[in-house]
Amino acid sequence: MSGPVQETTGVAIVGAGPAGLTLGHILAQAGVPFRILEATTREHLLGRVRAGVLEQGTVDLLASLGLDDDLRRRGLTHHGIYLQYEGERHHLDFPELVGRTVTVYGQQALVAHLLAEHERAGSDIVFEAADVQVRGVTGSSPGVRYRDDRGEVELACDVVIGADGYHGVCRRSLPPSEQVTWERTYPYAWLGILAEVEPSTDDLVYALHREGFAMHSMRSRQVSRLYLQVAPDESIDDWSDARIWDALQTRLGVDGWTLAEGPITEKSITPMRSFVASTLAHGRLFLAGDAGHIVPPTGAKGLNSAIADVALLGQALLDERAGDPTGLARYSDQALSRQWKVQQFSQWMTEMLHVHHDEPDASARGFRYRSQVGQLEYVTRSLAARQSLAEQYAGLPFRE
Ligand code: FAS
Ligand code: PHB
């Protein structure tokens, strides 16, 4: 019985989501050897729908890596968002408010493009890597152990990157004494659909309605992406296409506007949570993206935070290889400082736009709803408030 296969690389990246794939490109561009270990299949990875809005900083990073050609072709430049409440729809014009735009370009398309570019370049990516275990990150021989079609593999490396998302193994490999986590859940979830129908709006619509939140997003001029607030324990089986469209028509409807319907090609329910780990570094292990933090999707920050992390981490890894370790030493604090600003914005957007059906007291429920209407009236009528929202939605700098 032979022992594990012994192999070596420079950077072992666990997870081939946006964080892992983008970091791989940063390293590839600098000629740094790496291997990406992905638990699922290529098909499963490409089948995930998820996020849809890219901040300017994310677009700029992808462009700097020469990874924006598909994005330039298929991405949709958006000049703001609409906030809707009590039958009124108000546009926030980002170029007018903060001189920036955002780009609508689905995470599914981004991951497909990042992966295709890796495969074109012959990157070292292992799919269906099983039982990944982080090893020796506080000693002199960091590495990862996993199983592939050859059997057990011991992969020695200089550094391990946990880009394996909220449910991954890397964050969980930290000793409890080394890390605290902070989390809150929300008494609602998002039911999301993809529909083969031209979007009925130019910019995204975020709507507060007594029945619950609804949002009109999109993936292209032919495919709409829409969301509904539902109870956290809802089953997608209880939501027929007709029931979904009825709720969207009710919650998004305003005088003089029609929501076009079409065949629903994907529907799923996503729970809402805010989560932050107290550190993104432990010895030679560094966490990036959802492995270290989660936001409710209302502020469109999940994917963008993952990219912001790897922009910092990638440069820090290159600096260390050039003899300057300060970036890696500062990475966790820098990334988490930005992340807490993103957390508060995502929480603020979420609480402003969702209804608390779980509140048993009718008076308290009514008070909360009317306070939210008051908040939205203030935000849509105050230049300072609109600028603050636009500045955060369009994206904070990667480095303060
Ligand atoms: P990811 O979770 O994307 O990638 C982690 C990768 O690691 C996965 O491919 C996983 O298979 C792999 N992995 C996990 N464990 C592993 C192991 N043990 N070994 C090897 N590989 C392992 N954000 C928005 O901005 N807007 C949205 O509308 C939105 N919707 C979402 C819907 C859902 C259902 C989910 C889960 C997230 C959503 N997000 C949304 C957030 C999402 O976009 C994330 O922020 C983004 O995917 C983060 O990217 P990564 O950090 O790369 O993590
Ligand atoms: C999406 O298009 O999937 C999307 C857009 C904006 C959000 C969340 C999701 O805030």
Side-chain angles (χ1 to χ4, degrees), residues 151-333:
E152 289 291 325
V153 179
E154 282 282 0
L155 180 66
C157 58
D158 303 328
V159 63
V160 179
I161 307 299
D164 51 346
Y166 178 73
H167 300 288
V169 295
C170 289
R171 185 186 68 251
R172 298 172 207 279
S173 73
L174 268 71
S177 59
E178 293 298 312
Q179 184 184 81
V180 172
T181 60
W182 295 283
E183 181 166 13
R184 66 158 292 185
T185 55
Y186 297 82
Y188 33 75
W190 273 17
L191 186 158
I193 66 169
L194 279 179
E196 284 181 357
V197 60
E198 182 181 354
S200 302
T201 179
D202 52 354
D203 285 340
L204 273 54
V205 180
Y206 290 77
L208 168 70
H209 188 278
R210 290 174 187 280
E211 277 195 16
F213 169 79
M215 184 172 84
H216 192 327
S217 180
M218 60 199 73
R219 286 295 177 269
S220 68
R221 300 199 197 292
Q222 297 76 35
V223 177
S224 293
R225 175 72 165 162
L226 297 115
Y227 294 96
L228 279 176
Q229 171 185 341
V230 296
D233 56 357
E234 282 279 357
S235 163
I236 195 68
D237 300 334
D238 295 335
W239 283 84
S240 67
D241 292 5
R243 185 184 178 196
I244 292 171
W245 283 118
D246 284 349
L248 287 167
Q249 293 289 356
T250 300
R251 300 184 195 183
L252 288 169
V254 288
D255 292 346
W257 178 78
T258 304
L259 172 62
E261 301 185 8
I264 294 178
T265 57
E266 195 271 348
K267 52 182 165 183
S268 59
I269 292 178
T270 301
M272 306 276 270
R273 77 164 50 90
S274 297
F275 171 89
V276 185
S278 60
T279 182
L280 302 182
H282 177 60
R284 298 299 288 170
L285 170 66
F286 297 91
L287 305 177
D290 278 16
H293 41 72
I294 293 282
V295 283
T298 325
K301 293 299 162 206
L303 170 56
N304 291 295
S305 293
I307 301 299
D309 283 354
V310 297
L312 275 179
L313 185 52
Q315 187 57 55
L317 290 168
L318 301 187
D319 289 350
E320 186 193 55
R321 294 179 86 91
D324 175 3
T326 51
L328 270 186
R330 289 187 192 141
Y331 164 69
S332 180
D333 289 346

Side-chain angles (χ1 to χ4, degrees), residues 89-112:
R89 183 175 288 174
H90 300 264
H91 190 250
L92 276 69
D93 184 319
F94 289 176
E96 179 189 287
L97 291 165
V98 293
R100 283 184 286 159
T101 59
V102 292
T103 301
V104 171
Y105 180 69
Q107 177 170 327
Q108 202 171 7
L110 175 61
V111 166

Side-chain angles (χ1 to χ4, degrees), residues 361-377:
D361 179 274
S363 174
R365 214 167 41 243
F367 181 88
R368 178 190 288 268
Y369 177 76
R370 282 161 184 76
S371 300
Q372 288 170 259
V373 171
Q375 190 177 17
L376 284 159
E377 281 185 351

